[in-house]
Amino acid sequence: MLGTLDFSVIPLAMPAILKGLWFSLELTVIAMIGGVILGTLLALARLSGGKFIGGAAKVYVDLMRSIPLLMMILWFFFLIPFVTGQPIGQNKSAIITFTLFQAAFYSEIMRAGIQSIPRGQVNAALAIGMTYWQTMGYVVLPQAFRNMVLVLLTQTFILFQDTSLVYAIGATDLLKAAENAGMLYGRTVEMYLFVSVIYFAICFSLSMFVKYMNKRIAIIR
Amino acid sequence: MNYNWNWGVFFQTIPAGDETYLTWVIHGLGWTIAISLCAWVIALVLGSIAGTLRTVPNKKLAFIGHTWVEFFRNVPLLMQLFLWFFVVPELLPRDLAMWVKQDMPAKEFLTAVVALGLFTSARVAEQVRAGIQALPRGQRNAGLALGLTQTQTYRFVLLPMAFRIIIPPLTSEFMNAFKNSGVAYAVGVWELVFVSRQMVEETGGQVIESLIVPTVLYIVCAYAANRVMAVIESRAHVPGFIVAK
């Protein structure tokens, strides 16, 4: 019953929880930055018109999008040691998995963003003598990013929630830290409740922020 | 990279008992499908209700729908599963809690279904709301002007169109239900992820075989879900209204 809950365990467990939260955030931020860069390259590859490179990018994106993330986490965790010859640890494995996995999702967003730029702009840039990379770097991508920034943020918020899945390989993220602390102090219920509140607070404020920005940007357009 | 392929691993018997790993995989597939489909039914029913509530003029009802969505959307699925499995029983009255902990049949399965169902319901609700809001405002007004009640307007005018509009995003949510069902392993349901992990540990090195079969089965499930929805989409198509490919 509620009366038997003892939340005095929270201050004791706080350092461990913060460490877990830090890893969750670190994983989110690294996977976001890496994912957006890789995703943009994948999107450019798909739109480049090249048969081989475009096809390869499409296969990669479709494959990543059709495999459950949980399976992907296991794949990388068990396979990287085979490729490199030595285990690299749960945390690094998680970072690699999330970056490569999220790249597929970010690439679809970036593709939509790039396609939202009128074709005439590309032609105009090429006509005044810009190279392909200059056209992309100075004309297309800055606008594509700006058009898609909120969708990218929404994807990042999904990414943050998904980081809890690294539980499967025993990396100590926020959820795992809560479990460990709960076991250590024999207060699993309280720890789970507390961490749910943290997750909720972060995700809720992020989604509120996206909603607020959506309204502001809608007026400017 | 040296890897010893051994597909025969699926015909080996498990350490304790005389089943083969192949039968494990088949059981795993069965549980995965069972969890996903049951959860999808819950998600569709509750999500439709919550999504519809968000669009009604009554502020209180809209608030309930809104709270529902925010609550189930902003906590990770795995966390929600643990809340249902470990925390909720502790908060129940003593007798009920004892029953849940000791006697409840198929506890792990039911908890996973509830957690996945409610998590997905928030996503379905968002789509339903978007579908209703995508309709021209005139449709609601026309329904009311004809003398239909609010409920009738929803039942006969708004919802039939809204559901047709949102079939494509619902399709991807249906596929997500299969992909997300893997978290059930964490409370001990013997579904595909569980079988996969178990095989990796027990077969000592047959990592690729142990992972690839469940992965392919997940893809097949998601693809089947996609096809089913595609059939529904073309059957439900209203001539002249929504362009179906």
Side-chain angles (χ1 to χ4, degrees), chain A residues 12-91:
Chain A
L12 289 173
M14 210 54 197
I17 296 287
L18 283 179
K19 225 171 150 192
L21 176 61
W22 179 248
F23 178 65
S24 289
L25 293 175
E26 190 188 347
L27 181 56
T28 307
V29 171
I30 296 178
M32 178 184 73
I33 296 171
V36 168
I37 295 173
L38 198 58
T40 307
L41 292 176
L42 280 169
L44 288 176
R46 280 194 72 172
L47 295 171
S48 68
K51 255 217 176 97
F52 175 74
I53 191 169
K58 184 172 163 23
V59 168
Y60 178 84
V61 171
D62 288 350
L63 190 68
M64 286 291 173
R65 278 161 43 105
S66 55
I67 297 176
L69 176 54
L70 198 49
M71 284 310 291
M72 222 54 227
I73 292 172
L74 296 180
W75 269 108
F76 278 93
F77 184 62
F78 290 120
L79 269 194
I80 291 174
F82 270 105
V83 180
T84 59
Q86 59 198 16
I88 58 164
Q90 297 99 330
N91 291 14

Side-chain angles (χ1 to χ4, degrees), chain B residues 41-112:
Chain B
V41 171
I42 295 180
L44 213 50
V45 173
L46 296 179
S48 303
I49 295 173
T52 308
L53 284 183
R54 288 193 70 175
T55 63
V56 297
N58 184 327
K59 284 265 161 39
K60 265 186 205 149
L61 289 178
F63 180 76
I64 293 174
H66 191 73
T67 314
W68 180 276
V69 170
E70 293 298 345
F71 184 77
F72 288 110
R73 211 174 55 141
N74 284 316
V75 178
L77 175 57
L78 192 56
M79 186 75 246
Q80 289 190 31
L81 180 61
F82 285 175
L83 286 181
W84 288 108
F85 196 77
F86 295 112
V87 177
V88 170
E90 299 295 329
L91 306 180
L92 293 172
R94 169 109 58 82
D95 295 343
L96 194 57
M98 285 304 279
W99 179 79
V100 167
K101 280 186 217 167
Q102 292 174 356
D103 300 328
M104 195 169 136
K107 182 187 171 199
E108 295 83 5
F109 170 72
L110 289 177
T111 321

Side-chain angles (χ1 to χ4, degrees), chain A residues 1 65-66 68 70-71 74-75 78 82 157 161 164-165 167-168 175 189 192 196 199-200 203-204 211, chain B residues 70 73-74 76 78-79 82-83 86-87 90 92 179 182-183 185 196-197 200 207 211-212 215 218-219:
Chain A
M1 290 294 296
R65 278 161 43 105
S66 55
L70 198 49
M71 284 310 291
L74 296 180
W75 269 108
F78 290 120
F82 270 105
F157 143 91
Q161 289 201 5
S164 60
L165 293 179
Y167 181 90
L175 181 52
V189 174
Y192 280 148
S196 314
Y199 273 120
F200 183 84
C203 294
F204 185 68
K211 234 179 233 166
Chain B
E70 293 298 345
R73 211 174 55 141
N74 284 316
L78 192 56
M79 186 75 246
F82 285 175
L83 286 181
F86 295 112
V87 177
E90 299 295 329
L92 293 172
K179 291 202 262 170
V183 295
Y185 96 90
S196 189
R197 285 168 53 101
V200 169
V207 176
L211 289 172
I212 205 163
T215 305
Y218 271 116
I219 296 177

Side-chain angles (χ1 to χ4, degrees), chain B residues 147-198:
Chain B
L148 299 181
T149 62
Q150 192 72 244
T151 319
Q152 285 171 330
T153 309
Y154 270 100
R155 165 69 184 82
F156 296 109
V157 182
L158 298 176
L159 289 179
M161 280 315 278
F163 272 112
R164 286 177 167 85
I165 293 177
I166 61 168
I167 287 178
L170 279 188
T171 303
S172 51
E173 286 311 330
F174 190 24
M175 293 166 75
N176 281 341
F178 279 95
K179 291 202 262 170
N180 288 335
S181 68
V183 295
Y185 96 90
V187 290
V189 182
W190 282 59
E191 45 68 69
L192 286 174
V193 170
F194 195 102
V195 170
S196 189
R197 285 168 53 101
Q198 206 67 21

